[in-house]
Amino acid sequence: MMVHTMHRESPDKGLDSGKYVRYTPEQVEALERVYTECPKPSSLRRQQLIRECPILSNIEPKQIKVWFQNRRCREKQRKEAARLQTVNRKLNAMNKLLMEENDRLQKQVSHLVYENGHMKHQLHTASGTTTDNSCESVVVSGQQHQQQNSNHPQHLQRDANNPAGLRSIAEEALAEFLSKATGTAVDWVQMIGMKPGPDSIGIVSISRNCSGIAARACGLLSLEPMKVAEILKDRQSWLRDCRCVDTLSVIPAGNGGTIELIYTQMYAPTILAAARDFWTLRYSTCLEDGSYVVCERSLTSTTGGPNGPPSSSFVRAEMRPSGFLIRPCDGGGSIVHIVDHVDLDAWSVPEVMRPLYESSKILAQKMTVAALRHVRQIAQETSGEVQYGGGRQPAVLRTFSQKLCRGFNDAVNGFVDDGWSPLGSNDGAEDISVMINLSPGKFGGPSHYGSSFLPSFGSGVLCAKASMLLESVPSAVLVRFLREHRSEWADYGVDAYAAASLRASPFAVPCARAGGFPSNQVILPLAQTVEHEEFLEVVRLEGHAYSPEDMGLARDMYLLQLCSGVDENVVGGCAQLVFAPIDESFADDAPLLPSGFRVIPLEHKSAPNGASANRTLDLASVLEGSTRQGSEADPNGCNFRSVVTIAFQFTFDNHTRDNVASMARQYVRSIVGSIQRVALAIAPRPGSCISPVSAPTSPEALTLVRWISRSYRVHTGADLFGSDSQTSGDTLLRQLWNHTDAILCCSLKTNASPVFTFANQTGLDMLETTLVALQDIMLDKTLDESGRKALCSEFPKIMQQGYAHLPAGVCASSMGRLVSYEQATVWKVLEDDESNHCLAFMFVNWSFV
């Protein structure tokens, strides 16, 4: 199509300024070619264009400049119009969705009003006479009994080998599913934090007063209905807890639909409960309005149908009519309704674990919302909206995430048919469970661990795992801390041994060192999901040797790490940190042996007696005590709990199995202790009855406190702890440790960024860290820009006079929370020989913003 563009001619051309110059099609074509190559050419480029194109010789450079300005403006307007059209389509579809939801709620209100009136009538009748009430109950009971008897023969007539019987079950499941997806069969309540909007995940609801647990989600997708159905049917690709899905039979149905008999195995989330499986009928068909529906329900003795395959390692759970309804959207895309309704047989697990199986919020996050997010992720990848670095395709990165989760789930569950068997303990302690796998050929399968797994080990893999119960520690905060402060819990020698499984010449089994993590970690982002609920990253651990004999530790190591669930605003979300050693090449088919942590929040319930004394409990002891004692409300508000699952995997050779088992037990046991210390540091303290962490008592700490106190008195003329504090070193240490203001020491280096080296209890609370992890925190990352400028301006005064006062400001804790303070005093800490040792900071009247 020929485009004609008009511009006002320059007055110095001798023409009237009100006249317009019309560009010829040839001139427009020449300018468009240049615009395609360079939308904003320089002055020299425009002059060169006039010289090279004779057809533009009669146009001045200023007019050429104006043409490109107008062309860029039209392009911007075109993109904005396209964006607004897209937003308009989303808003129209969301409006339609909200109107349908409003209609459903209106029906629910009408139903409740009717029930309320009926109940008032019954109460009024009962107050007048009791005989009518008893008769009514007899009539109702008789009607129910008659209905049950009328339904029972219908189920008995369903022949397991008769397709007509299966179609009858399928039609019933379809009708019940549709009544849940768009009707009032379930009392749905909108889930907290899930507000609908054009850019939101959709409308998410959970059941209330429902048999079993149920969740529902409605959302907009830019993919066509059949593509959405194809993605959602592949349950293993998006449901991380799904171990396998086997389609045992496919039967054609009417309207081009199909009936499938499916056996599904699910992983258990912890080591203290059995895994679940489902035996279901799945019905896929098209509705008269053009919608595509896939519904699924369990086949039981009540519903009829063939019996499912037996399995001794699983507890058979029931799936009530569930599935997804996909409707085409005007202008392209789809509207999807997803319903998950299950009964996980919560009574078969210990009482303390039942909230994991009775929470509709957890079901919504792990299944319903996960399915919707997965489809949205693929939709945005398909449209090119998601950009990844490192040259990796999105499908490859998703495969890495799936392999990490699957390998960790395999380690936590330890299924016998995967080759796992328990290994007894020589020390008699059963707090750490150890299992071994002596079948490398069948271990996990090549699709999970790579065909080149175990290149130099002939025996197999060992897994040490444990579970613990945390009191009043948010799961997202804990996992974020474990990710950012690896030095708090990890041992570098053990990491090096795990990485050695990727090399042909591994070194000896190390002894786990307390706090043995002298290196730094560098986190390199690799990918993240659209809503940032999951991060895939590479962690580089800088090499370090303890001694000349440990030169094998001096090389850098790399971990592929998956972190999810670190958003504190998500309700019912599971937080997880899983990692596996990789080599420098990091091929797409790299073998992975995952280890890590999983933290699942339980429903807010009061803690058992004595639980608040330590904030952490050994879960086995809780299970033993749960049948003996009830729960009492914690008067200080410590009433929410989380279950932490820890699993670490190591390879071993024939002659190293016992040594590796001993090292693994010791290592996981030390990690449990580290998490207990971390929980004390990061759990909310206001109103808590938790006893504070005891002060360090090393000679170095006593000396440092003496230097801090003496330097403050020398520089300021005042005493840090009052007018009468000439006491012993131990008393001085306790006074500083329990001081109401945050006191921190920072290294005084000119060639490196200053880091914190010591803090009292209040300082650790302010930074939300521990003494060990404190050394990873840099001063410039804690102070904001105003604080850094104030410190730099006062630094010469500090070095000359010995101290200075900084004005009120804001800093940040290690967890990213903002902290305000009224004043900060900084002074030089002098050693006995008057040489500079460090800088001390005292933050007065601080509080979290």
Side-chain angles (χ1 to χ4, degrees):
M1 182 192 330
M2 290 203 274
V3 181
H4 297 270
T5 309
M6 302 203 321
H7 288 285
R8 191 182 298 272
E9 274 201 349
S10 178
D12 59 5
K13 252 193 123 166
L15 297 178
D16 184 4
S17 59
K19 300 290 184 180
Y20 290 90
V21 174
R22 183 180 295 275
Y23 291 91
T24 65
E26 292 79 10
Q27 289 173 331
V28 172
E29 183 179 357
L31 292 172
E32 287 286 353
R33 284 198 304 268
V34 178
Y35 180 84
T36 303
E37 299 173 359
C38 180
K40 194 173 183 179
S42 63
S43 176
L44 294 177
R45 180 69 181 92
R46 292 194 298 269
Q47 293 175 3
Q48 180 185 1
L49 175 62
I50 294 175
R51 290 194 302 269
E52 292 177 352
C53 297
I55 59 175
L56 299 176
S57 59
N58 64 331
I59 303 177
E60 292 187 356
K62 184 177 181 180
Q63 291 175 319
I64 298 292
K65 179 181 179 180
V66 172
W67 186 92
F68 277 97
Q69 288 176 345
N70 292 338
R71 181 65 178 83
R72 290 194 299 271
C73 183
R74 289 197 303 274
E75 181 70 17
K76 184 177 180 180
Q77 290 175 345
R78 184 189 64 80
K79 291 181 178 179
E80 180 65 13
R83 187 189 68 83
L84 292 176
Q85 288 178 356
T86 302
V87 173
N88 184 58
R89 284 198 300 269
K90 287 184 178 180
L91 290 174
N92 286 334
M94 181 60 70
N95 181 59
K96 180 180 179 180
L97 203 59
L98 291 174
M99 290 178 65
E100 292 175 353
E101 181 70 5
N102 184 62
D103 291 342
R104 188 192 66 80
L105 292 175
Q106 291 288 349
K107 293 178 182 178
Q108 187 173 353
V109 168
S110 301
H111 181 68
L112 292 175
V113 170
Y114 172 78
E115 285 188 343
N116 186 43
H118 182 65
M119 186 173 296
K120 286 182 178 180
H121 177 70
Q122 284 185 324
L123 291 174
H124 178 72
T125 304
S127 63
T129 175
T130 58
T131 56
D132 291 343
N133 184 38
S134 60
C135 293
E136 182 179 354
S137 64
V138 171
V139 172
V140 171
S141 176
Q143 291 177 346
Q144 293 176 347
H145 182 70
Q146 182 179 359
Q147 183 178 4
Q148 291 176 357
N149 289 338
S150 63
N151 289 336
H152 190 59
Q154 179 182 356
H155 294 312
L156 291 179
Q157 293 173 0
R158 291 171 176 166
D159 186 0
N161 299 316
N162 184 4
L166 295 179
R167 281 196 292 270
S168 175
I169 299 175
E171 292 296 337
E172 288 182 6
L174 174 61
E176 191 170 344
F177 161 71
L178 291 176
S179 66
K180 297 176 183 178
T182 60
T184 59
V186 173
D187 184 7
W188 297 113
V189 179
Q190 185 170 321
M191 193 168 174
I192 299 175
M194 293 291 183
K195 294 183 179 180
D199 297 322
S200 68
I201 186 68
I203 304 173
V204 182
S205 307
I206 56 176
S207 61
R208 180 175 59 184
N209 300 327
C210 173
S211 176
I213 54 178
R216 187 190 67 158
C218 312
L220 309 176
L221 301 170
S222 59
L223 299 176
E224 295 304 313
M226 296 309 296
K227 181 63 177 177
V228 175
E230 177 186 347
I231 296 171
L232 292 178
K233 277 189 172 183
D234 186 9
R235 186 172 289 154
Q236 281 184 282
S237 67
W238 56 266
L239 182 54
R240 297 292 170 79
D241 287 345
C242 182
R243 186 189 184 212
C244 67
V245 178
D246 294 329
T247 303
L248 303 185
S249 179
V250 179
I251 303 171
N255 298 327
T258 57
I259 295 175
E260 301 165 278
L261 300 183
I262 297 177
Y263 177 63
T264 304
Q265 291 182 349
M266 306 289 289
Y267 289 110
T270 69
I271 66 175
L272 293 169
R276 265 53 181 167
D277 64 353
F278 295 93
W279 170 239
T280 58
L281 177 147
R282 185 167 70 184
Y283 180 36
S284 306
T285 186
C286 288
L287 302 182
E288 294 180 355
D289 61 356
S291 302
Y292 189 77
V293 62
V294 177
C295 62
E296 189 171 359
R297 75 169 304 164
S298 289
L299 295 177
T300 64
S301 58
T302 303
T303 63
N307 296 323
S311 179
S312 59
S313 302
F314 294 83
V315 173
R316 182 62 50 87
E318 182 180 358
M319 181 182 295
R320 310 286 172 84
S322 307
F324 42 92
L325 169 67
I326 311 169
R327 296 183 295 174
C329 197
D330 296 337
S334 308
I335 298 177
V336 61
H337 299 254
I338 303 176
V339 173
D340 292 302
H341 189 179
V342 296
D343 184 349
L344 298 176
D345 192 11
W347 293 102
S348 65
V349 299
E351 182 178 357
V352 71
M353 304 293 296
R354 286 177 192 167
L356 298 181
Y357 299 84
E358 295 175 334
S359 172
S360 294
K361 298 174 184 176
I362 294 179
L363 176 72
Q365 291 292 349
K366 295 178 71 172
M367 291 187 66
T368 318
V369 176
L372 199 54
R373 279 178 174 155
H374 180 73
V375 182
R376 289 191 67 195
Q377 180 78 23
I378 294 181
Q380 297 202 18
E381 291 173 0
T382 304
S383 62
E385 299 179 41
V386 181
Q387 300 294 330
Y388 291 109
R392 305 274 182 172
Q393 293 296 323
V396 174
L397 297 175
R398 281 200 308 273
T399 301
F400 280 133
S401 300
Q402 292 167 3
K403 288 168 65 175
L404 285 172
C405 287
R406 191 171 184 81
F408 184 72
N409 277 324
D410 283 333
V412 170
N413 285 261
F415 292 113
V416 175
D417 56 353
D418 280 340
W420 290 100
S421 60
L423 183 65
S425 173
N426 294 328
D427 56 10
E430 299 296 337
D431 55 332
I432 308 299
S433 172
V434 176
M435 302 188 76
I436 59 174
N437 194 308
L438 302 177
S439 306
K442 65 178 294 187
F443 180 61
S447 62
H448 307 147
Y449 293 91
S451 58
S452 59
F453 189 63
L454 302 177
S456 59
F457 295 86
S459 292
V461 173
L462 180 145
C463 177
K465 47 193 176 180
S467 282
M468 58 191 301
L469 186 70
L470 294 186
E471 296 284 345
S472 302
V473 180
S475 57
V477 175
L478 177 60
V479 168
R480 193 162 64 241
F481 187 96
L482 295 173
R483 171 180 175 264
E484 297 174 358
H485 302 285
R486 189 177 182 85
S487 60
E488 174 64 23
W489 56 267
D491 183 281
Y492 191 85
V494 177
D495 282 338
Y497 176 80
S501 62
L502 304 175
R503 301 196 296 269
S505 57
F507 46 85
V509 178
C511 294
R513 300 173 172 86
F517 196 89
S519 70
N520 296 323
Q521 67 166 349
V522 179
I523 298 178
L524 308 172
L526 193 61
Q528 62 185 14
T529 50
V530 174
E531 298 186 4
H532 299 177
E533 78 279 356
E534 187 174 274
F535 301 87
L536 184 67
E537 52 203 11
V538 174
V539 181
R540 178 166 62 87
L541 306 178
E542 297 178 352
H544 176 86
Y546 293 96
S547 64
E549 292 79 15
D550 289 336
M551 292 308 295
L553 301 176
R555 59 187 298 175
D556 290 350
M557 294 181 298
Y558 296 88
L559 302 174
L560 181 65
Q561 182 167 274
L562 182 69
C563 182
S564 59
V566 294
D567 185 358
E568 296 182 57
N569 297 320
V570 174
V571 179
C574 165
Q576 189 168 268
L577 183 70
V578 180
F579 44 84
I582 55 175
D583 57 17
E584 293 84 347
S585 62
F586 187 27
D588 291 350
D589 59 347
L592 299 177
L593 189 62
S595 303
F597 309 88
R598 175 180 292 149
V599 188
I600 306 176
L602 302 178
E603 293 288 342
H604 286 219
K605 291 185 179 181
S606 44
N609 296 338
S612 60
N614 296 308
R615 267 199 213 285
T616 58
L617 295 173
D618 174 72
L619 196 49
S621 63
V622 175
L623 295 177
E624 294 174 0
S626 62
T627 58
R628 299 193 305 266
Q629 57 187 16
S631 297
E632 295 182 0
D634 187 348
N636 297 293
C638 302
N639 62 345
F640 62 94
R641 298 185 280 182
S642 301
V643 174
V644 182
T645 300
I646 308 167
F648 278 75
Q649 298 189 82
F650 305 95
T651 55
F652 66 89
D653 206 346
N654 288 322
H655 63 280
T656 62
R657 189 187 75 174
D658 293 340
N659 291 338
V660 173
S662 176
M663 178 270 293
R665 281 195 181 93
Q666 180 185 357
Y667 187 43
V668 173
R669 197 170 285 134
S670 70
I671 289 175
V672 170
S674 298
I675 292 180
Q676 290 174 341
R677 293 193 300 272
V678 169
L680 289 171
I682 66 178
R685 287 191 176 277
S688 172
C689 56
I690 307 304
S691 57
V693 180
S694 58
T697 57
S698 64
E700 293 82 3
L702 296 174
T703 302
L704 178 60
V705 170
R706 181 169 55 82
W707 289 346
I708 293 172
S709 175
R710 182 176 61 86
S711 300
Y712 185 86
R713 185 170 57 253
V714 168
H715 296 317
T716 66
D719 199 288
L720 185 61
F721 309 114
S723 58
D724 185 18
S725 62
Q726 301 295 328
T727 55
S728 64
D730 290 342
T731 305
L732 207 63
L733 176 59
R734 285 196 297 272
Q735 286 179 331
L736 183 138
W737 185 254
N738 298 319
H739 200 281
T740 56
D741 294 324
I743 300 176
L744 305 100
C745 292
C746 184
S747 61
L748 190 59
K749 299 179 181 179
T750 57
N751 58 347
S753 298
V755 297
F756 291 107
T757 57
F758 177 80
N760 66 348
Q761 179 64 68
T762 310
L764 296 177
D765 290 345
M766 185 185 78
L767 293 182
E768 296 185 292
T769 186
T770 64
L771 279 175
V772 176
L774 179 71
Q775 302 174 18
D776 295 335
I777 303 175
M778 292 187 290
L779 177 63
D780 57 353
K781 295 294 182 63
T782 302
L783 299 176
D784 64 354
E785 185 176 358
S786 300
R788 290 193 294 269
K789 288 181 178 179
L791 179 61
C792 290
S793 64
E794 296 288 343
F795 189 76
K797 179 181 177 181
I798 297 172
M799 300 308 295
Q800 182 179 4
Q801 179 178 310
Y803 79 101
H805 296 293
L806 304 183
V810 176
C811 61
S813 73
S814 64
M815 309 307 292
R817 287 209 287 174
L818 296 181
V819 180
S820 64
Y821 54 90
E822 291 185 2
Q823 179 182 289
T825 302
V826 189
W827 69 96
K828 282 192 306 182
V829 176
L830 303 178
E831 299 181 3
D832 292 331
D833 58 0
E834 301 301 321
S835 61
N836 296 330
H837 179 75
C838 64
L839 286 181
F841 291 77
M842 182 166 64
F843 295 91
V844 181
N845 291 338
W846 65 271
S847 62
F848 289 109
V849 178

